[in-house]
């Protein structure tokens, strides 16, 4: 869109017949829509316990996925309109570089079209990593893409990999009453989070009934007609109705003809780029999941715009913001921005902590969403905000209020803003005022 609005003639090659990519069809949009539908069902069951049995009997996973499918359709329609309105030509097929200025596109019916351009942007995304020895063709073995094709809720599930995707699906399926074993290869959940938030996630998953197994490694997965058995290096054997592999993703860089052009790709299929998102061939760019971290849809939008700006104007005026908020859609949600207590302590930064527990907020008491907290980390001397960590309902929305302040240069970035600004009452945003006062009360 940036290139088209700048007057360039643009063609997009899309492997699928419908635009939107993995974000729209197999990852972010359908999984978050499914989570929302499950959460709504749980809310109705909680508010109307007399309807619990009927709802559980008549509301199937297939019904819930239908809601997610409707959202996907709306996103596809919206994005298709963008292509049409900006006169971006869309070619459906699989593209491969023939030379540095030509790609050949194999269309669904087998015909080949050659496209020539001055510049290219590779935005092919990523897919779930598939280890050797795991039969993903078996009907009881899934990855984070194929799990969305599940039509009936199983009685039990093993999730291997306790990263963001694994924790999100553990939370979702446990809400549906599925017995979940969450196998973590590390010693704690989501170790990049602040310890207090990670501990809160572990506590609430366990409280919901998820069995978390830390520091375990897989030896093999043994599928049967009626079950799946996971063999672990520790000697343990776990058995469940289905197995979900959620341990890593790979960039979709294979079979693009990159090797012949000398474009470097790492062991996970990620393309190496510079600050302007250029590959080793300057007029060929790469953005999104195919370049690796941060591997977020929100960041990918910006990367594409930055690459197009470099193509059109020959410069990279902007970069991704230093601190990108993390949004994790477990139940409750998690969102995090900036540094953690562990990082600040290791760096010798004199900081203080301010808490606002949702159970004390009037808005949370009204909605009944009282689980969670907002945590602010700030410099004891300058009062500069160093980290924001939120656990609870709508955490991924709440974080952006603090992000707007934290993004300012000092003295614009200061915790006093939240004390001297009047917030609507009752709101969840008020948590910033409560946390700021709580933290300043610790200063002496």
């Amino acid at each position: 869109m940036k290139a088209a609005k700048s007057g360039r003639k643009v063609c997009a090659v899309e492997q699928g017949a419908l635009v939107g990519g993995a974000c729209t069809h197999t990852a972010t949009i359908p999984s978050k829509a499914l989570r929302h539908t499950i959460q709504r069902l749980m809310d109705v069951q909680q508010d109307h316990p007399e309807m619990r049995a009927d709802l559980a009997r008549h509301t199937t996973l297939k019904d819930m996925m239908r809601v997610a499918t409707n959202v996907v359709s709306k996103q596809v329609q919206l994005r298709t309109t963008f292509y049409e309105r900006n006169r971006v030509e869309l070619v459906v097929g699989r593209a491969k570089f023939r030379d540095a200025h030509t790609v050949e596109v194999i269309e669904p019916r087998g015909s080949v079209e050659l496209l020539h351009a001055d510049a290219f942007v590779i935005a092919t995304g990523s897919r779930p990593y598939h280890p050797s020895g795991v039969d993903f063709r078996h009907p009881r073995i899934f990855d984070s893409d194929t799990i969305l094709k599940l039509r009936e809720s199983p009685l039990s599930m093993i999730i291997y990999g306790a990263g963001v995707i694994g924790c999100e699906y553990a939370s979702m399926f446990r809400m549906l009453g599925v017995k979940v074993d969450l196998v973590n290869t590390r010693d704690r959940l989501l170790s990049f989070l602040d310890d207090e938030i990670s501990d809160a996630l572990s506590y609430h998953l366990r409280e919901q009934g998820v069995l978390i197994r830390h520091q375990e490694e897989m030896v093999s997965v043994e599928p049967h007609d009626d079950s799946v058995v996971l063999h672990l290096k520790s000697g343990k054997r776990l058995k469940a109705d289905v197995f979900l592999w959620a341990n890593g993703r790979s960039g979709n860089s294979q079979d693009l003809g990159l090797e012949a052009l000398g474009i470097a790709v790492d062991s996970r299929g990620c393309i190496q780029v510079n600050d302007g998102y250029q590959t080793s061939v300057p007029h060929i760019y790469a953005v999104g999941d195919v370049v690796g971290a941060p591997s977020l849809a929100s960041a990918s939008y910006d990367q594409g715009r930055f690459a197009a700006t470099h193509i059109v104007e020959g410069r990279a005026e902007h970069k991704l913001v230093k601190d990108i908020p993390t949004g994790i859609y477990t139940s409750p949600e998690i969102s995090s921005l900036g540094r953690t207590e562990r990082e600040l302590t290791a760096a010798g930064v004199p900081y203080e902590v301010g808490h606002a527990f949702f159970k004390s907020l009037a808005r949370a008491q009204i909605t009944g969403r009282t689980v969670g907290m907002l945590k602010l980390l700030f410099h004891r001397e300058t009062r500069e905000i160093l980290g924001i960590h939120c656990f609870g309902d709508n955490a991924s929305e709440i974080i952006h209020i603090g992000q707007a302040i934290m993004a300012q240069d000092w003295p614009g970035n200061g915790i006093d803003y939240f004390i001297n600004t009047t917030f609507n009452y009752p709101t969840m945003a008020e948590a910033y005022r409560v946390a700021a006062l709580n933290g300043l009360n610790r200063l002496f």
Side-chain angles (χ1 to χ4, degrees), residues 15-50:
Q15 182 170 296
L18 302 174
V19 301
C23 171
T24 301
H25 294 281
T26 60
T28 304
I29 297 302
S31 65
K32 276 49 178 182
L34 175 61
R35 173 194 179 272
H36 179 70
T37 305
I38 294 172
Q39 186 67 63
R40 287 181 62 191
L41 176 63
M42 297 302 105
D43 291 343
V44 173
Q45 289 181 340
Q46 183 175 345
D47 294 341
H48 302 280
E50 73 281 1

Side-chain angles (χ1 to χ4, degrees), residues 60-182:
T60 66
L61 189 60
K62 185 177 180 180
D63 295 329
M64 297 180 199
M65 280 307 306
R66 192 176 296 118
V67 175
T69 301
N70 289 337
V71 178
V72 169
S73 297
K74 291 175 182 178
Q75 285 286 303
V76 169
Q77 183 179 3
L78 179 71
R79 297 177 190 285
T80 301
T81 301
F82 292 161
Y83 281 79
E84 294 170 349
R85 192 169 64 208
N86 289 278
R87 295 180 175 83
V88 174
E89 182 181 355
L90 183 65
V91 175
V92 176
R94 172 81 183 186
K96 182 177 182 178
F97 282 97
R98 178 170 284 192
D99 60 47
H101 284 279
T102 309
V103 293
E104 61 177 26
V105 182
I106 302 176
E107 298 176 343
R109 294 184 179 181
S111 58
V112 177
E113 182 174 358
L114 296 181
L115 301 174
H116 306 276
D118 296 327
F120 298 84
V121 179
I122 302 169
T124 48
S126 64
R127 66 189 185 282
Y129 169 69
H130 282 187
S132 60
V134 179
D135 183 8
F136 287 93
R137 295 169 300 177
H138 194 279
R140 292 185 178 274
I141 296 179
F142 298 88
D143 60 29
S144 56
D145 285 357
T146 57
I147 195 67
L148 292 165
K149 298 177 182 177
L150 196 62
R151 289 296 175 260
E152 293 184 4
S153 182
L155 295 177
S156 58
M157 171 183 285
I158 298 168
I159 300 177
Y160 185 81
V164 171
I165 293 172
C167 287
E168 287 181 347
Y169 276 112
S171 180
M172 274 192 272
F173 280 100
R174 185 56 205 149
M175 282 194 287
L176 288 174
V178 179
K179 180 183 177 182
V180 176
D181 277 279
L182 180 60

Side-chain angles (χ1 to χ4, degrees), residues 197-217:
I197 303 298
S198 175
D199 290 343
L201 174 63
S202 297
Y203 170 79
H204 285 281
L205 284 178
R206 286 192 171 105
E207 186 182 45
Q208 292 163 9
V210 176
L211 180 56
I212 304 172
R213 301 175 184 270
H214 291 300
Q215 292 187 301
E216 297 281 5
E217 288 190 47

Side-chain angles (χ1 to χ4, degrees), residues 412-430:
N413 172 12
I415 198 166
D416 291 282
Y417 171 86
F418 299 119
I419 296 171
N420 299 325
T421 297
T422 302
F423 289 88
N424 280 334
Y425 178 84
T427 59
M428 295 306 295
E430 184 202 4

